[in-house]
Amino acid sequence: MTTSSAWSVALLGMDARPVEVEASITSGLPRVVMVGLPDTALYEARDRCRAAFAGAGLGWPSQLLTINLTPAWLPKSGSHYDLAIVAAVLMADEKAPGDVGRRCVFMGELGLDGCTRPVRGILPGVLAARRVGFDTAVVPAVQYREASLVEGVTVWPVADLADLVEVLHGRPVLARSMPQDTVDVPAQRLVGDLCEVKGQPEACWALEVAAAGGHHVFLHGAPGVGKSMLAQRLPGLLPALDDESALEVSAVRSLAGIEVGGGLVRTPPFSNPHHNASMAAMVGGGSRVASPGAISLAHRGVLFLDEAPEFSPRVLEALRTPLETGEVTIARANAQVRYPARFQLVLAANPCPCGMSGVPGGRCTCAPMSIRRYNDRLSGPILDRIDIHLRLMPNLAGLVDSLSGDPTAVVAQRVAEARERMSVRLTPVKCRTNAEVPGSVLRRMPRPQGTELLDDAMRQGRLSARGYDKVVRLAWTLADLAGRQVPDREDLAGALSLRQDEWRAAA
Ligand SMILES: [Zn+2]
């Protein structure tokens, strides 16, 4: 009997655990037995690997081959174990020495011709391998650059099984004809400039405040007033992602099967799921592989829900926990899958199903009951978590051409300066933006002037306890934008006006 083993990783969202793939060749009828909780895709690896051996002109062991994946209790899925399986088989069959292969972590799928195929999650997989002490990763050649984004790990690319045999002999075939330089890639092309939004100075200002403080925004108003235009322009106002955030955003994209390419994603992402989106599409999950959902693809960027009342109430309620914790946990058999989801939420809604309620000169054809039902689809707890509530009015005739605000680049500069002031104050309390500051920390900060304005609003029932804190956070952002040390009365009044809940009043 000969036995050998190679390492791979099981991906559990952003976390990963090392998995040892053991191969044992014993006398017996020539067949392959696979044990250790493999799923269907993994079970098929048996046939894929055998075909790949034949395709590469290598002989498959002609005895009983047992492949065991440990730890056995951990469910394993996906096709990325192929490379570890064939490495273990090659070593057990004494076609390669065992010393080099034992030190590497293997991730990659094989085609029937023996060539390697790209797999999801290379970046988080290699990150996890580094965490548990591996310093060498063997990956499909086409994913060499993605794996190389992880510092401190040597990456050996393999284009086919012949390359793998070389690697196991300690003779890696280094990046044939692959450029070594990395370039930062945009998460998506930025859409439009803020100065294209005409006749909405208040809304542009609110967007600037939202960008500076990381505040959530609710925009409501008639169709065509520019709600989507504004939302699409928010990522352009946000600062570029720092190294840690860029690595997280790139890792989520890798897990979603979006090509990461040769550089980290530096622009804040923009995710705008359709209102028919299922629970799994929104928060993540799925029957086979727990993929990240739209909220995780918005991590460190913007989640835009257009026509928010049309989303399923269950889907909207599912946003509550990530809004508080910045992550989402999906329960799977024997394991929990965790994805980051710290996003800036932008909700947009029409005033009523037909869109004309409260619009000057418009004629609403909705029954009062249907307007009420439409309004109630956005629950109090969700709206209470949104910092800025803004009602957009249609452009007045004649203003369309005359009024346009500052271009994106100018506003982004002011946002960056405000963030700078914020970080001096918030770095000691481990927050990045005013919106993230916990209530307990907020109350230890200097008291803004004019808080009696808020006490009045609370007494009149216009402000909840959570709303009170949100207004104070907004006031800090206004002070940061204005370069003031502590918010003054004007900042507080400005913050309060950004949180007028006219949503139900508009109906
Ligand atoms: Zn209507």
Side-chain angles (χ1 to χ4, degrees), residues 437-499:
V437 178
S440 54
V441 176
L442 198 66
R443 283 181 278 279
R444 285 205 304 273
M445 286 173 12
R447 196 176 163 80
Q449 296 158 23
T451 43
E452 68 277 4
L453 286 173
L454 307 190
D455 299 335
D456 287 348
M458 263 185 105
R459 260 197 304 277
Q460 291 159 15
R462 288 188 289 128
L463 207 57
S464 65
R466 179 182 277 122
Y468 188 104
D469 283 352
K470 292 217 174 273
V471 173
V472 175
R473 289 188 190 100
L474 274 172
W476 275 102
T477 302
L478 293 177
D480 285 327
L481 278 165
R484 268 188 285 278
Q485 289 294 317
V486 179
D488 63 11
R489 198 183 164 83
E490 200 184 319
D491 294 328
L492 218 51
L496 200 56
S497 74
L498 283 171
R499 212 193 143 73

Side-chain angles (χ1 to χ4, degrees), residues 351-358 363-367 370-371:
C352 66
C354 85
M356 299 313 287
S357 169
R363 210 171 135 257
C364 173
T365 54
C366 307
S370 78
I371 297 186

Side-chain angles (χ1 to χ4, degrees), residues 144-216:
Y144 170 71
R145 299 216 303 186
E146 179 180 336
S148 302
L149 294 173
V150 182
E151 282 173 21
V153 175
T154 305
V155 179
W156 286 347
V158 290
D160 51 29
L161 271 186
D163 282 2
L164 184 67
V165 172
E166 289 299 301
V167 156
L168 292 175
H169 280 91
R171 300 187 295 261
V173 185
L174 278 176
R176 281 179 297 210
S177 74
M178 265 177 283
Q180 304 281 321
D181 59 318
T182 59
V183 280
D184 292 340
V185 286
Q188 70 283 308
R189 213 168 52 80
L190 287 175
V191 179
D193 196 284
L194 195 61
C195 65
E196 293 159 12
V197 181
K198 310 277 188 190
Q200 296 286 6
E202 242 184 273
C204 291
W205 166 240
L207 207 64
E208 179 171 341
V209 175
H215 303 287
H216 305 306

